[in-house]
Amino acid sequence: MATGTAVARPDLAVCVSGGDGDGFSIGGGHMPHMARKNVNMTYILMDNGIYGLTKGQYSPTSRPEMKAYTTPYGGPEEPMNPLLYMLTYGATYVAQAFAGKPNICAELIKGAMEHNGFAYVNIFSQCPTFNKIDTIQHYRDLVEEVPEGHDASDLGAAMELARRPGGKAPMGLLYKANKPTLRENLDKIIEKVGGHADYDINQIIARSKP
Ligand SMILES: Cc1ncc(C[n+]2csc(CCOP(=O)(O)OP(=O)(O)O)c2C)c(N)n1
Ligand SMILES: [Mg+2]
C-alpha cells in the first residue's frame, strides 16, 4: 500500500513504521522489493528483537540465547542482519540508531525523509516487558557511532560496518546514494510513449476470456 501511495502521490512524504517481526517475517516478502525498486519512502523499523504485541515470541532479529515462550531453552537460529539485507537489496539510504539516543534518531529520520528514494532506518528499541534482560543496557553496550571518516557513498564500506566489526552495531548513517526512484522511472516510460499507454483495458479483458 505504501508503495502505491508513494508512486501515485509523489507530493506526499510517505513514512511507514513497523516491527522486526512485521518487517522481516510476517510481511517480509515486501521488503526486498521496496528497496530494489527504490520507492521514495521512509521505513522506520523498531527493532526490539522480539514479537512484542503477541507477548514475546522469537523473531528474525532475536538474540540466539533469548528465552521466550516459543524458545524456553534459548533459540536455535542465527539472527538476520537487517542492515546488510537492506544494503544488499539496494536501499539508497541505510541508517541505524537506538531509541535511548532520541536526538540521533531524529537526525537520521529527518535525513531519511529528505532523501529521494527508499530510506531504511533500523532503530533498536527496548522491550522491558518480554525480553528478559535489561534491554536499554544491552543496546547501550552494543552500539557504537559510525566512525567520523566513514564514506557513506561507499557501499563496500557500509557493508563492512553492517557486519558489526568488533561485535559493535554501527549507529549513524551507513549509506546514501542517488538513484532514480520507481516513480521517476515510470515517468520516463510515460514520456517515451507520449503521455499515454497504447492499450485498451477492455480489449485486454476481452482477450483473456476463453
Ligand atoms: C499476517 C499476520 N500474521 C500475524 C499477525 C499477528 N501479529 C500481530 S503483531 C505480531 C508480532 C509483531 O512483532 P513485531 O513486528 O516485532 O512488533 P512488536 O510488537 O515487537 O513491536 C503478530 C505475530 C498479524 N497481525 N498479521
Ligand atoms: Mg518486535
Side-chain angles (χ1 to χ4, degrees), residues 56-58 63-77:
Q57 295 83 26
Y58 204 74
R63 296 171 289 114
E65 67 275 21
M66 189 186 81
K67 290 186 177 146
Y69 291 128
T70 50
T71 54
Y73 308 108
E77 307 160 14

Side-chain angles (χ1 to χ4, degrees), residues 120-174:
Y120 176 79
V121 187
N122 200 72
I123 300 193
F124 291 124
S125 309
Q126 52 271 27
C127 177
T129 313
F130 296 111
N131 200 331
K132 304 204 174 82
I133 53 162
D134 180 347
T135 43
I136 293 198
Q137 197 54 47
H138 170 73
Y139 289 129
R140 259 190 211 131
D141 295 341
L142 181 66
V143 296
E144 190 168 86
E145 287 201 38
V146 165
E148 233 163 69
H150 172 64
D151 176 4
S153 68
D154 183 339
L155 181 60
M159 285 180 156
E160 256 324 296
L161 278 180
R163 293 178 66 219
R164 299 191 177 183
K168 291 287 186 180
M171 180 165 60
L173 176 64
L174 278 87

